[in-house]
Amino acid sequence: QSVVTQPPSASGTPGQRVTISCSGSSPNIGSNYVYWYQQVPGTAPKLLIYRSDQRPSGVPDRFSGSKSGTSASLAISGVRSEDEADYYCAVWDDSLSGPVFGGGTKLTVL
Amino acid sequence: QVQLVESGGGLVKPGGSLRLSCEASGFTFSDYYMSWIRQAPGKGLEWISYISSSGSTINYADSVKGRFTISRDNAKNSLYLQMNSLRGEDTAVYYCARDYFASGSYSRFDPWGQGTLVTVSS
């Protein structure tokens, strides 16, 4: 059981806006930046968002991140079939003195 | 290009040992922290250890503390994970990842290797 919680699944039709939440508490999301990773089945995870709302070069601008209080969100505007993947949030936890991952959200594009 | 390649996975009996390696290329390995992260079959990601650029600072998740040892050889651009007293719950794909801890990005792992599968079973 992770200290940060994600919904196990999310879905959307092509072109829709989809959001995935990551809920935590004061020692983690409340105090630190949130990171998002995309894992296409059978491949290694890939960094999608860093420092809560920054996109690495090469990541399409339809992906965006935000954080408020002890929660964070990943939004995908205009979802595409190739976005079908597992998405994980990650954040440092001051109490555990280490990084923690959310349980992951499986995105299905209908 | 920046690349990480893990090796050393395989089948091991409970209580056994295994040493994983991760060879880095395309960046100045000695400038970065490095981490090991694992993923049990069909499960989520679990960070297990990081090591500082010089090797002087090390941290482990409680789940592996006392059983696993992380190390690095900057001359060989290589990261290692010595795994002892292995258990069934250690069965997972093990990834190495470049870690941006030193720059204040405490959960930024980029890039990741392709992973190596460790199976603990009798």
Side-chain angles (χ1 to χ4, degrees):
Chain A
Q1 193 78 357
S2 178
V3 296
V4 293
T5 304
Q6 297 179 235
S9 64
S11 64
T13 57
Q16 266 190 332
R17 175 183 170 90
V18 173
T19 61
I20 297 171
S21 62
C22 178
S23 178
S25 56
S26 180
N28 43 71
I29 295 178
S31 306
N32 296 288
Y33 291 117
V34 177
Y35 298 76
W36 289 94
Y37 296 88
Q38 178 193 57
Q39 186 177 32
V40 174
T43 70
K46 168 192 165 186
L47 178 69
L48 209 56
I49 297 289
Y50 67 99
R51 294 203 167 194
S52 300
D53 60 7
Q54 302 297 302
R55 265 189 322 275
S57 60
V59 172
D61 60 6
R62 65 177 184 276
F63 292 95
S64 63
S66 63
K67 190 187 95 163
S68 178
T70 59
S71 293
S73 291
L74 172 71
I76 310 173
S77 302
V79 71
R80 299 182 180 185
S81 57
E82 60 258 38
D83 298 333
E84 199 162 88
D86 294 321
Y87 292 85
Y88 295 90
C89 61
V91 61
W92 182 268
D93 189 284
D94 292 338
S95 297
L96 299 174
S97 296
V100 292
F101 286 91
T105 298
K106 182 177 182 62
L107 173 64
T108 301
V109 181
L110 303 168
Chain B
Q1 75 282 19
V2 175
Q3 192 172 13
L4 299 169
V5 179
E6 300 94 337
S7 60
L11 176 63
V12 60
K13 289 181 169 53
S17 298
L18 209 57
R19 189 195 196 208
L20 306 183
S21 299
C22 169
E23 186 169 342
S25 59
F27 67 100
T28 305
F29 181 71
S30 58
D31 283 350
Y32 288 88
Y33 277 56
M34 295 294 294
S35 274
W36 286 100
I37 298 156
R38 69 184 180 184
Q39 185 171 34
K43 301 296 185 183
L45 301 169
E46 180 190 16
W47 169 83
I48 57 173
S49 183
Y50 69 64
I51 185 169
S52 65
S53 53
S54 67
S56 60
T57 300
I58 287 172
N59 193 15
Y60 298 100
D62 287 345
S63 58
V64 304
K65 199 172 292 182
R67 300 187 299 122
F68 290 11
T69 302
I70 191 172
S71 62
R72 65 190 296 161
D73 184 337
N74 287 341
K76 294 183 178 179
N77 289 339
S78 292
L79 174 73
Y80 307 102
L81 186 68
Q82 177 67 43
M83 303 185 296
N84 298 331
S85 303
L86 283 162
R87 308 164 179 166
E89 55 263 37
D90 296 318
T91 294
V93 174
Y94 285 73
Y95 296 100
C96 64
R98 187 170 63 177
D99 190 328
Y100 283 72
F101 188 96
S103 63
S105 292
Y106 300 140
S107 300
R108 179 175 179 173
F109 307 110
D110 179 38
W112 301 52
Q114 87 286 352
T116 188
L117 177 62
V118 173
T119 303
V120 183
S121 175
S122 55

